[in-house]
Amino acid sequence: MYQFVIPIHHVNWSTRAVLEGISNKYNPKHIYVITSENEIKILKDKCKFWKIKNLILLDEDNFFLKKYNLTKKDIVSKITQNKPNYTPGWLYQQIIKLGANDVIDQLEDVFVVWDSDLLPVKSWPILDENQEKFALLQDKFYGNRDILNSWKNLIVNVLEINPVEDERGTFTSHHMVFKKKYLQSLKLKFKDHFKSDQNWIELIIKAANIYGSFGEYWTY
């Protein structure tokens, strides 16, 4: 039984299927949905009739306020590189995925981040032969090479490593298995690179503004 974290922009036609599918197929300890105050109201009303266990709703606008004294508006205002299809709001969701363990104290050492538009029609085995696994779902030959190159440049220059690459797939995964110890190590790497005591959110935005964007799971 894993804990799931799901940022949701808007409740739509697939939301019920995603949440009920995860609840039914994975029997999670908790499902943490992070969304706006208005969408929380909608979900509270709809979930009276949906079959979802252990659902916890969290406000995205103030998600980092207590921990880092930053609202969504504060964070988004710092993002200056607005590439097509990768808006400040999209980048904010990437930051939520990387920062969920900083805010949700109840998260265990290993947890799953699930994209809100990924329907679990046939459940992917998260644990296989005692190893957590994820799927590469995006073919790199049909992706935007400039975006992928900007992500790679950030990894090479900021983390000072050559990124893991797959022959065909990008690391734009739609369900992501995270381990807290590696997330902590990653955030320290940004501090080391910039020789800064600023929090990692401001530093990862600084890096994204320099290199154009970042892919959260490939960076992780």
Side-chain angles (χ1 to χ4, degrees):
M1 292 174 64
Y2 288 89
Q3 295 165 304
F4 284 67
V5 173
I6 309 174
I8 291 181
H9 185 214
H10 287 300
V11 177
N12 60 30
W13 65 271
S14 66
T15 304
R16 178 176 184 175
V18 171
L19 295 177
E20 286 190 343
I22 290 171
S23 184
N24 177 260
K25 294 178 182 295
Y26 293 105
N27 191 28
K29 290 183 179 179
H30 302 98
I31 302 174
Y32 295 96
V33 167
I34 305 162
T35 190
S36 67
E37 186 176 353
N38 184 63
E39 301 303 304
I40 287 174
K41 291 177 183 177
I42 293 171
L43 281 169
K44 281 183 176 179
D45 183 56
K46 290 184 177 296
C47 284
K48 295 173 186 176
F49 310 100
W50 294 356
K51 296 178 181 178
I52 305 165
K53 296 174 288 186
N54 306 322
L55 179 67
I56 298 171
L57 304 174
L58 300 171
D59 178 12
E60 72 169 15
D61 295 316
N62 298 300
F63 189 65
F64 293 108
L65 184 60
K66 185 176 179 181
K67 179 71 176 181
Y68 294 117
N69 197 33
L70 291 169
T71 65
K72 176 182 179 180
K73 186 176 180 180
D74 295 331
I75 294 170
V76 166
S77 70
K78 298 176 185 294
I79 299 169
T80 59
Q81 286 288 344
N82 303 344
K83 291 188 177 294
N85 301 322
Y86 295 94
T87 64
W90 183 87
L91 287 172
Y92 181 65
Q93 281 212 348
Q94 315 314 299
I95 291 169
I96 286 176
K97 294 171 185 178
L98 293 175
N101 66 303
D102 291 350
V103 176
I104 305 171
D105 293 333
Q106 295 78 14
L107 278 182
E108 296 177 348
D109 290 339
V110 181
F111 63 95
V112 179
V113 171
W114 193 281
D115 278 1
S116 63
D117 58 355
L118 180 63
L119 290 166
V121 177
K122 183 177 181 181
S123 57
W124 182 267
I126 295 172
L127 192 67
D128 184 17
E129 297 181 354
N130 294 318
Q131 177 69 45
E132 284 90 10
K133 294 187 176 181
F134 62 95
L136 299 179
L137 300 178
Q138 185 183 81
D139 192 319
K140 67 171 59 175
F141 298 104
Y142 296 97
N144 186 317
R145 292 303 311 176
D146 290 339
I147 292 289
L148 293 177
N149 286 336
S150 71
W151 295 356
K152 183 174 182 177
N153 288 337
L154 186 150
I155 294 169
V156 169
N157 291 290
V158 176
L159 304 184
E160 298 179 353
I161 58 173
N162 291 318
V164 175
E165 296 196 56
D166 182 75
E167 183 179 343
R168 287 193 58 188
T170 76
F171 280 83
T172 302
S173 180
H174 297 278
H175 77 276
M176 307 157 217
V177 179
F178 283 108
K179 297 188 177 183
K180 291 169 72 171
K181 63 180 180 180
Y182 299 135
L183 284 166
Q184 291 165 356
S185 176
L186 173 65
K187 293 161 189 174
L188 287 173
K189 225 16 197 170
F190 282 91
K191 288 177 174 287
D192 291 342
H193 175 77
F194 287 109
K195 306 287 190 292
S196 174
D197 289 328
Q198 285 182 290
N199 67 65
W200 69 271
I201 294 175
E202 293 174 290
L203 295 176
I204 202 170
I205 291 171
K206 184 176 181 179
N209 286 338
I210 293 170
Y211 294 99
S213 183
F214 70 93
E216 85 289 85
Y217 207 54
W218 200 16
T219 303
Y220 167 80

